[in-house]
Amino acid sequence: MDYDRTQARNFQSEHNNNVLNNDCMRKRMLLRGEVDLEEALESEEDMRLALQYPLKMGEFYKEMAERSEEIQELVASHFGLKRNESAKITVGKPFSADNKEIWQHGSFNLCIRVSTEVKGLPRWLAFRVPLPFKLGDKTAEGKGNCEEKLRSEAATHIWIREHCPDIPTAKLKGFGLPGGLSFFESKYLSFWLRIKTSIWRVCSYLLRGSRFCEYIPQRRSTFLEHGYIITDWIENQDERLLSSRTLTPEQTCNLYRSMSQIMLSLSRVSQPRIGSWTINDHGQISLSGRPCMLHLFELENAGIPTHIKRNITYTNADSFYLDMLSCHNKRFEIHPNVAQDRVDAQGVASDLVMMQILFPQFIDRRLRNGPFLMRLTDVHPSNVFVDKEGKVSHIIDLEWACSLPLTYQLPPLRLFGEFPESPDDPNYEAFWTAYNEFVAIFQQEEQSRGLLDDNGIAYSQASMMKEAFETGRISYLYALQNPLGLFNIVRCQLKGFFDEVPKEQLNSTLSRFWTGNMGEFMSKKLEQFETYKQEVISIFNSDRSLFI
């Protein structure tokens, strides 16, 4: 099938459940939903990027569709099948009306369901490819982010399977990096290659103490521009995505209990530093990558340098938090859409100064040197499968998993709905009720398993969660990793823990200490915003954005 630009546009229309409507030319399509020009100009998101995502997604679908045979042969090679046997592996067509569920995309990956007809193989496989235009791989600041994400996610799969086998994850079948290096399960490689690799690894272990994972690296000759991960496809009658279920109170308790057990399993092994697991070209995994937190990739995708190199890890939590604060400052400095007028700029600067002033108030610095625990930071209803009783049956997409300070050991907030940035939010009471229900169940599980022991010191993670709620630490930590939500949280929640000061007086005073020559800086920011508005209008009215 010849997938042209029109078909790419048709995909986006179907994806958003919209029909092209020539009478509504002032609307533009986003990956989720739609926007008019006024909404685009008022949005805190970088609409120069968001308006172009649908077309880029359609073009990415087109590229993958044109390479479906290549993908088919690549998947077949991971199971030791020869080229003439690749017909037993089938990649569905993305735009077929009968195959709407075969190609799916989330925020950062395209997932293709692959079927097999080979005895002994899973019936369905998931072939996931990172989206370069969402991860910063097309920017100077984020070039190589797709490879970094793949190395981290694959290494996390391997580490969890080895150290926490009770956590139900999709089985990793193989993966590949941009440039041509792939990792295969040894049982599907030739006998002589397994022997040669085993001898080399034994010698490396005896000479250097090097340990290797079960996956063996080999060069591939196809699909070189992109990386990928192959896992089992989770689909059966007994389990469904949490996002497609409405749970009863009893099922919700089962969900919270099983999620608590997963978190406690991860925390059994205290980590030596803050960072992410990664895998090198020889198949060795180590906790030697920077913390792969989502917002760092989003900042770099927007052209904002984080100045956190890929091999940076932290043995001191203070340094980690200060680097996170520095990223927010850099966003204010560079991003043209952070402030829309002088009063707004004063408020933003004041909020950032407040975050730095409040740092010792909300962070327990007695825990600066540990313990550090593994966390799955991307747990949300579309990444969790549950059974009929509401228990977690599988967790998919282990991206953004990190070793983080104990103070970051919080409930998976996205299971409770959108984080309420203000007490006026409609879901404010429901969110915090669910939070406290989770903590109560977590405490029960923690008591049955025993407290976390780090160098002879016992820590109650449930107590840390309660304290985070009571002191407002949870809001501070949430703001720290959410650039778009930081300002509302500071203004509507954190300031409520202190004596009230007139807003105008506070902003005009504190903002002066964000940088020297603040008046000159604010003038430049307003000039940036005017340029930004013209760029958004230009993209909005061009064929770089899809309209309905």
Side-chain angles (χ1 to χ4, degrees), residues 146-338:
C146 285
E147 180 175 341
E148 178 186 10
K149 174 181 171 295
L150 285 164
R151 287 183 186 270
S152 175
E153 186 173 359
T156 302
H157 267 282
I158 296 167
W159 185 88
I160 287 179
R161 185 179 182 188
E162 180 177 347
H163 293 89
C164 309
D166 55 319
I167 295 179
T169 61
K171 177 67 171 64
L172 179 65
K173 296 297 184 180
F175 59 99
L177 306 173
L181 186 65
S182 289
F183 289 77
F184 298 79
E185 289 186 277
S186 59
K187 64 182 178 181
Y188 294 114
L189 296 174
S190 69
F191 173 77
W192 290 112
L193 182 57
R194 298 201 305 271
I195 291 295
K196 184 175 76 170
T197 302
S198 297
I199 293 173
W200 184 84
R201 287 183 168 183
V202 168
C203 293
S204 294
Y205 177 74
L206 294 175
L207 293 174
R208 295 185 290 272
S210 305
R211 300 191 65 179
F212 300 87
C213 72
E214 62 180 295
Y215 298 87
I216 295 178
Q218 290 292 301
R219 287 284 167 185
R220 66 181 187 273
S221 58
T222 187
F223 207 71
L224 301 179
E225 298 85 355
H226 301 283
Y228 60 90
I229 280 184
I230 304 172
T231 65
D232 285 339
W233 182 278
I234 307 302
E235 182 180 49
N236 59 61
Q237 294 180 345
D238 297 326
E239 55 182 328
R240 289 169 53 190
L241 274 176
L242 179 58
S243 57
S244 66
R245 282 189 183 272
T246 300
L247 302 185
T248 65
E250 182 180 357
Q251 290 173 322
T252 299
C253 287
N254 290 335
L255 169 67
Y256 292 171
R257 192 170 303 281
S258 55
M259 187 59 66
S260 297
Q261 293 166 354
I262 289 170
M263 294 173 64
L264 288 166
S265 179
L266 283 172
S267 66
R268 280 200 305 254
V269 184
S270 183
Q271 305 299 329
R273 61 185 67 88
I274 298 167
S276 292
W277 288 96
T278 188
I279 185 168
N280 66 16
D281 289 353
H282 301 295
Q284 297 168 288
I285 70 168
S286 60
L287 190 66
S288 57
R290 66 173 177 174
C292 283
M293 303 186 78
L294 165 60
H295 73 282
L296 299 182
F297 284 67
E298 290 181 321
L299 290 172
E300 290 171 349
N301 192 52
I304 301 168
T306 62
H307 299 304
I308 301 177
K309 295 182 179 179
R310 292 194 174 92
N311 62 351
I312 289 290
T313 58
Y314 303 87
T315 55
N316 182 288
D318 289 358
S319 300
F320 166 69
Y321 291 126
L322 290 174
D323 273 0
M324 296 298 103
L325 287 169
S326 178
C327 291
H328 288 282
N329 287 330
K330 184 59 67 173
R331 177 174 179 266
F332 184 36
E333 176 188 341
I334 293 178
H335 200 284
N337 189 30
V338 179

Side-chain angles (χ1 to χ4, degrees), residues 27 43 86 101 116 122 136 167 199 234 238 267 272 291 371 375 389 409 428-430 434 460 462 473 479 484 494:
K27 291 280 188 179
S43 174
S86 63
E101 300 301 320
T116 70
I167 295 179
I199 293 173
I234 307 302
D238 297 326
S267 66
R375 280 202 66 218
E389 296 178 340
Q409 185 71 329
Y428 185 86
E429 292 296 333
S460 169
R473 179 191 297 144
L484 292 181
L494 297 184

Side-chain angles (χ1 to χ4, degrees), residues 293-296 299 317-329 331 351-352 354-356 358-359 362-363 404-405 407-408 419 472-487 489-490 494:
M293 303 186 78
L294 165 60
H295 73 282
L296 299 182
L299 290 172
D318 289 358
S319 300
F320 166 69
Y321 291 126
L322 290 174
D323 273 0
M324 296 298 103
L325 287 169
S326 178
C327 291
H328 288 282
N329 287 330
R331 177 174 179 266
D351 293 338
L352 292 174
M354 284 283 291
M355 285 289 289
Q356 296 175 73
L358 297 177
F359 169 70
F362 289 108
I363 301 301
L404 294 171
T407 48
Y408 257 106
F419 187 88
R473 179 191 297 144
I474 185 172
S475 297
Y476 186 91
L477 293 174
Y478 186 83
L480 201 59
Q481 58 185 320
N482 287 274
L484 292 181
L486 180 146
F487 309 112
I489 292 172
V490 172
L494 297 184

Side-chain angles (χ1 to χ4, degrees), residues 392-426:
V392 176
S393 56
H394 280 95
I395 292 181
I396 59 175
D397 292 359
L398 302 183
E399 56 194 1
W400 320 129
C402 309
S403 167
L404 294 171
L406 176 60
T407 48
Y408 257 106
Q409 185 71 329
L410 301 171
L413 302 180
R414 296 177 69 180
L415 295 186
F416 313 143
E418 289 294 323
F419 187 88
E421 296 177 358
S422 165
D424 296 329
D425 285 356

Side-chain angles (χ1 to χ4, degrees), residues 136-150:
D137 222 55
K138 300 299 183 181
T139 68
E141 293 76 15
K143 188 170 180 58
N145 278 0
C146 285
E147 180 175 341
E148 178 186 10
K149 174 181 171 295
L150 285 164

